[in-house]
C-alpha cells in the first residue's frame, strides 16, 4: 500500500475511535498515514529490517486490539501510536540481545541531527536537552532513540554502569525541572 | 520499592519511557500502570516530552507484505484499501450524530460508561433480533444490552457484500427515522461485541424493528440509509 500523499492532515483520533468500533477501512487509513513513521521508529531501535517488520506487525495488531483504550488524556494520537511501536521494538530488542556497535562513530554523529531535526514547535525539548552535559545527553538520546540499555551505554561510553544509571536519573530530574520552568 | 514517593514515581515513569527499565522491574511497572491512573499520567507526560524525537524522524515505507500479514492475522477482508474521498465523507456520518461533535467524543462517551478493563460488566441482553433472508435463512443474530449501550453481533451466514459495499445496521425508531447502529460484521465468523451511541439506547423500547442496508465502504455518508434496505427484522424483548 503506498503511503498517503493526501495534503489534508488525517484526524487520527477519529480513525482510532472508528477502529474501536471495528471499522476496517479506518484501520487501513490509519496504517496508510502512520505506518512509515512507526516503521522508522522501530528500525532505529532494532536496526535489522526483518525485525522491524515483525515489530510493525505486532504494533498494528496491538493498535487494532487496543484502539478503544486511547483517550485524549493519554496525549496526542500519534504519540500514543509511536509509544506502542517503541515499547514493542524495545521488547524485541531485549529478546535479541543486540551486539554492541563495533564502530561507534556513525551513531554518535547522528545524535546531534536527531536534536537538530526538531522543529521550532519542539523548542522546549531542544533547549532542555542542551542544558544537559554532553555525556548525559548522549545517554538520553541513545536510550530513547536507539533503545540502549544501561549495560550497552556503559560499554559504548566506557563508563561504569553505576555512573550511567545515575546520569540517567539526574538527566531525567533536570529535564523535568527544565520543562516545568519553560512551560 | 516505594511506589508512592512522587519523585520516585516520576523517575520510574521517565526510565520506563526511556526504555532503561528492564526485565522484572519493567514488568512490575507495567502491572502497576494498569491500575494506577496517576502513574499512567506521569508516563504520558514523559512520552509527550520526548515525542518530538519521534516526530522528527525520517519516515520509511514498510514493504506491502507487512500490511497483508496484519490483515491475515486479524482476519480482515483482503481488499480493504483506503479510498481517498471515502474516509472524509464517512467522517460526516459521525459528525451528523445528535449530541456529538466529534468521533473521539462519541467513543469516549460510550467507553466512559464501561468500567476500567480490570472489571467486566456482564452483558445482559434485553433485546434480540434475528435477521433472515427471503428464504428464512438466519444471517445475523443481534443481541443488545441497551442499558450498557452494547451490541453482540453474530454473523451466522453472511453473503459477501459486493466489492466496495458494506452492510450497515439501523434501528427503526418510533419517529420513522432510521438510526445507525454501525456496521455489521461483513463475513461469516465469530461474534463481535461493540458499543453503540449512548443516546440511542432510549429509542429501543419504542422501535419498530431493525434493518440492514447496503452502503458504500465505511457506511452511509449521510447518516441515513443511501443504499437498498436488504433485510428487516423484528426486535424482540424489552422485558427486565
Amino acid at each position: 500500500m503506498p503511503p498517503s500523499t493526501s495534503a489534508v492532515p488525517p484526524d487520527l483520533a477519529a480513525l482510532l475511535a472508528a477502529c474501536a468500533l471495528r471499522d476496517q477501512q479506518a484501520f487501513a487509513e490509519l496504517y496508510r498515514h502512520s505506518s512509515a513513521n512507526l516503521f522508522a521508529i522501530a528500525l532505529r531501535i532494532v536496526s535489522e529490517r526483518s525485525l522491524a517488520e515483525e515489530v510493525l506487525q505486532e504494533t498494528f495488531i496491538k493498535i487494532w486490539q487496543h484502539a478503544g483504550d486511547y483517550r485524549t488524556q493519554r496525549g496526542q494520537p500519534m504519540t500514543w501510536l509511536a509509544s506502542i511501536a517503541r515499547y514493542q521494538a524495545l521488547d524485541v530488542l531485549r529478546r535479541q540481545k543486540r551486539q554492541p556497535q563495533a564502530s561507534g562513530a556513525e551513531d554518535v554523529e547522528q545524535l546531534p541531527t536527531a536534536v537538530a531535526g526538531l522543529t521550532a514547535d519542539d523548542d522546549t525539548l531542544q533547549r532542555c536537552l542542551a542544558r544537559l552535559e554532553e555525556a548525559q545527553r548522549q545517554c538520553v538520546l541513545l536510550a530513547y532513540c536507539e533503545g540502549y540499555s544501561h549495560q550497552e551505554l556503559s560499554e559504548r561510553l566506557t563508563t561504569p554502569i553505576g555512573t550511567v544509571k545515575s546520569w540517567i536519573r539526574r538527566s531525567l530530574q533536570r529535564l523535568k525541572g527544565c520543562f516545568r520552568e519553560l512551560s | 520499592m516505594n511506589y508512592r514517593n512522587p519523585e520516585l514515581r516520576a523517575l520510574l515513569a521517565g526510565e520506563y519511557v526511556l526504555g532503561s527499565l528492564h526485565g522484572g522491574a519493567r514488568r512490575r511497572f507495567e502491572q502497576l500502570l494498569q491500575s494506577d491512573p496517576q502513574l499512567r499520567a506521569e508516563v504520558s507526560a514523559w512520552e509527550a516530552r520526548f515525542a518530538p524525537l519521534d516526530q522528527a524522524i525520517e519516515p520509511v515505507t514498510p514493504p506491502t507484505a507487512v500490511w497483508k500479514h496484519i490483515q491475515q492475522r486479524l482476519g480482515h477482508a483482503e481488499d480493504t484499501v483506503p479510498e481517498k474521498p471515502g474516509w472524509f465523507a464517512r467522517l460526516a456520518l459521525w459528525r451528523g450524530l445528535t449530541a456529538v461533535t466529534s468521533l473521539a467524543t462519541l467513543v469516549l462517551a460510550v467507553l466512559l460508561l464501561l468500567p476500567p478493563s480490570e472489571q467486566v460488566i456482564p452483558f445482559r441482553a434485553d433485546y434480540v433480533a434475528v435477521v433472515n433472508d427471503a428464504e428464512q435463512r438466519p444471517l445475523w443474530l443481534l443481541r443488545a444490552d441497551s442499558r450498557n449501550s452494547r451490541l453482540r453481533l453474530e454473523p451466522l451466514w453472511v453473503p459477501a457484500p459486493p466489492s466496495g459495499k458494506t452492510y450497515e445496521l439501523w434501528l427503526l425508531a418510533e419517529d420513522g427515522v432510521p438510526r445507525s447502529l454501525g456496521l455489521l460484521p461483513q463475513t461469516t465468523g465469530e461474534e463481535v461485541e461493540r458499543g453503540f451511541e449512548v443516546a440511542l439506547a432510549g429509542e429501543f423500547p419504542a422501535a419498530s424493528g431493525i434493518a440492514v442496508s447496503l452502503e458504500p465502504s465505511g457506511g452511509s455518508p449521510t447518516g441515513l440509509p443511501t443504499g437498498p434496505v436488504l433485510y428487516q427484522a423484528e426486535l424482540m424483548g424489552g422485558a427486565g
Side-chain angles (χ1 to χ4, degrees), chain B residues 8-227:
Chain B
L8 190 57
R9 286 160 66 90
L11 198 60
L12 281 174
E15 290 196 330
Y16 174 74
V17 171
L18 265 192
S20 57
L21 215 53
H22 303 317
R26 188 172 189 83
R27 278 191 292 277
R28 276 193 296 279
F29 189 83
E30 273 168 352
Q31 283 198 329
L32 264 188
L33 270 185
Q34 283 172 29
S35 52
D36 191 336
Q38 277 176 332
L39 201 56
R40 275 205 295 278
E42 286 277 6
V43 167
S44 295
W46 278 113
E47 287 171 353
R49 288 175 195 133
F50 285 121
L53 290 172
D54 292 324
Q55 289 156 17
I57 201 172
E58 197 61 46
V60 177
T61 306
T64 46
V66 176
W67 174 242
K68 286 197 164 53
H69 288 147
I70 291 169
Q71 284 189 301
Q72 279 164 16
R73 287 264 307 266
L74 294 175
H76 286 184
E78 294 217 358
D79 60 352
T80 313
V81 173
E83 298 149 15
K84 275 297 179 335
W87 170 248
F88 293 102
R90 269 181 284 125
L91 207 50
L93 163 70
W94 299 102
R95 293 210 172 113
L97 290 171
T98 56
V100 172
T101 53
S102 79
L103 183 58
T105 314
L106 163 68
V107 177
L108 210 52
V110 171
L111 293 177
L112 279 175
L113 284 196
L114 303 178
S117 53
E118 308 88 73
Q119 306 151 36
V120 176
I121 283 190
F123 184 93
R124 293 173 307 158
D126 52 357
Y127 291 92
V128 169
V130 182
V131 179
N132 292 325
D133 67 7
E135 282 85 45
Q136 295 310 308
R137 245 185 314 236
L139 305 178
W140 287 277
L141 170 67
L142 161 91
R143 290 184 287 157
D145 176 353
S146 71
R147 285 157 298 203
N148 292 306
S149 308
R150 277 153 68 184
L151 291 176
R152 280 188 178 171
L153 304 163
E154 190 174 350
L156 300 165
W157 190 88
V158 177
S163 161
K165 298 288 184 192
T166 221
Y167 297 113
E168 188 162 354
L169 181 67
W170 305 88
L171 184 68
L172 301 173
E174 190 182 19
D175 61 6
V177 179
R179 305 282 202 280
S180 177
L181 288 172
L183 303 182
L184 283 163
Q186 304 295 308
T187 53
T188 301
E190 289 183 12
E191 186 180 56
V192 164
E193 180 174 328
R194 60 171 175 77
F196 61 85
E197 195 200 351
V198 171
L200 292 181
E203 303 281 356
F204 271 76
S208 58
I210 57 163
V212 176
S213 73
L214 198 62
E215 299 295 333
S217 272
S220 163
T222 66
L224 287 172
T226 65

Side-chain angles (χ1 to χ4, degrees), chain A residues 99-162:
Chain A
Q99 300 304 312
Q101 303 276 325
S103 66
E106 335 79 62
D107 271 16
V108 180
E109 268 153 34
Q110 275 162 36
L111 291 183
T113 313
V115 181
L118 301 179
T119 65
D121 293 345
D122 319 300
D123 208 27
T124 314
L125 179 63
Q126 196 161 354
R127 288 159 70 188
C128 290
L129 283 172
R131 290 188 185 186
L132 299 177
E133 285 162 30
E134 180 63 34
Q136 289 182 16
R137 182 168 50 252
Q138 282 187 19
C139 280
V140 170
L141 291 178
L142 283 171
Y144 187 86
C145 297
E146 307 205 13
Y148 272 64
S149 64
H150 289 143
Q151 178 65 36
E152 289 165 336
L153 285 169
S154 158
E155 286 166 17
R156 176 65 183 275
L157 302 172
T158 53
T159 303
I161 196 167

